[in-house]
Amino acid sequence: MGSIRRNFVRLWIFLMLGSLMIHAAEIMTTNVVTLNENQRTDLTVADVQCTDGTNMVLSGDISPTAFCTFCFVVEPNNIATGTYKINFYPSVADLTFSQVPEYDITLTCEDLDNTTNTVTEVLEIRITPNSAPIFTNGLSDQQTISSTKDKVAGEALFTVAATDPNSDEIYYTLSQTDPTSNNFQIGLTDGIVSAVNDLNTQCTQEIDLYITITDGSIQVGPQVIDVTLQ
């Protein structure tokens, strides 16, 4: 009888020690991420580590289940170390602040060898509304080109200044000139106005250039630049 009791005690101690050796699952990541609705390139929005078990796996449930839900994907980076990435793919759908200002990803870190050893965290992805690009000098500007007749084809003349509140790429377009002329062009991404031809062919002493800008979503303009040719 005594030996049975001793064996029972030993078994109980063994089980207790075994339970103490089970490490609690843990998720290490940021809790809040901001993402501009005009994000147009693939982006890793968060790194996640799912640790402290022997056979850990991370999964994610995204809400709401509409619009850009499938833009966000939980993907393994290194399963051996329990590291994952939350990646954003804009080609799936558009982020639209007015429709969904926030997506919540409920992350679950689970030990497949002990399904009671799980932990969850919620990652908030807050969408910020896109803002229009801005002409630094407003919708009217003046420029003077000196020694016009000496300007040759391809020569830079001046730069149209613009900024974007969201640091988005700005694209420039010369929509028209008044009077009509084929002697001017603008760089698509740098805003540099340059000569298409040698300007000794330009007969007028003044010309208006009409410039529009866009961040890929919102177009602004035209800015009318009154150019004096000296």
Side-chain angles (χ1 to χ4, degrees):
M1 186 70 178
S3 63
I4 294 175
R5 181 176 297 174
R6 283 193 298 273
N7 289 337
F8 177 79
V9 171
R10 288 171 184 161
L11 178 61
W12 181 82
I13 293 173
F14 175 79
L15 292 174
M16 288 298 294
L17 289 174
S19 65
L20 291 174
M21 292 175 65
I22 297 174
H23 297 284
E26 182 180 7
I27 293 178
M28 290 181 286
T29 188
T30 185
N31 294 112
V32 178
V33 173
T34 58
L35 192 60
N36 183 264
E37 67 176 345
N38 200 37
Q39 178 68 35
R40 300 296 182 189
T41 57
D42 295 353
L43 181 70
T44 296
V45 297
D47 292 301
V48 184
Q49 188 161 23
C50 170
T51 62
D52 284 350
T54 57
N55 191 10
M56 308 302 295
V57 65
L58 183 75
S59 60
D61 292 320
I62 304 173
S63 64
T65 56
F67 301 105
C68 209
T69 297
F70 296 106
C71 299
F72 302 99
V73 181
V74 179
E75 297 181 298
N77 181 52
N78 187 330
I79 295 178
T81 59
T83 56
Y84 293 77
K85 291 183 178 295
I86 311 298
N87 290 324
F88 168 70
Y89 297 105
S91 60
V92 177
D94 291 331
L95 289 173
T96 305
F97 174 82
S98 61
Q99 293 175 333
V100 182
E102 179 179 310
Y103 291 88
D104 293 330
I105 304 179
T106 301
L107 300 169
T108 301
C109 180
E110 180 180 5
D111 187 345
L112 295 181
D113 293 332
N114 179 11
T115 55
T116 63
N117 186 22
T118 63
V119 65
T120 61
E121 291 281 352
V122 176
L123 170 64
E124 297 178 10
I125 300 179
R126 298 174 182 173
I127 310 304
T128 58
N130 185 44
S131 299
I134 302 168
F135 283 106
T136 303
N137 296 329
L139 292 180
S140 63
D141 195 12
Q142 293 182 332
Q143 294 286 341
T144 298
I145 300 175
S146 301
S147 304
T148 301
K149 299 300 182 182
D150 295 331
K151 304 301 181 184
V152 297
E155 185 171 348
L157 304 174
F158 59 88
T159 300
V160 176
T163 59
D164 186 89
N166 307 116
S167 300
D168 294 330
E169 185 85 47
I170 299 175
Y171 302 96
Y172 300 79
T173 302
L174 173 59
S175 57
Q176 71 178 83
T177 65
D178 184 20
T180 300
S181 172
N182 296 321
N183 285 332
F184 301 91
Q185 63 186 358
I186 191 168
L188 177 64
T189 58
D190 58 19
I192 297 175
V193 175
S194 59
V196 176
N197 306 299
D198 295 349
L199 291 190
N200 57 14
T201 63
Q202 183 67 34
C203 298
T204 60
Q205 293 183 327
E206 287 192 3
I207 188 169
D208 289 338
L209 306 183
Y210 291 73
I211 309 295
T212 60
I213 55 175
T214 180
D215 61 358
S217 295
I218 304 174
Q219 180 172 294
V220 177
Q223 179 192 60
V224 181
I225 305 176
D226 182 8
V227 181
T228 300
L229 307 173
Q230 295 181 341

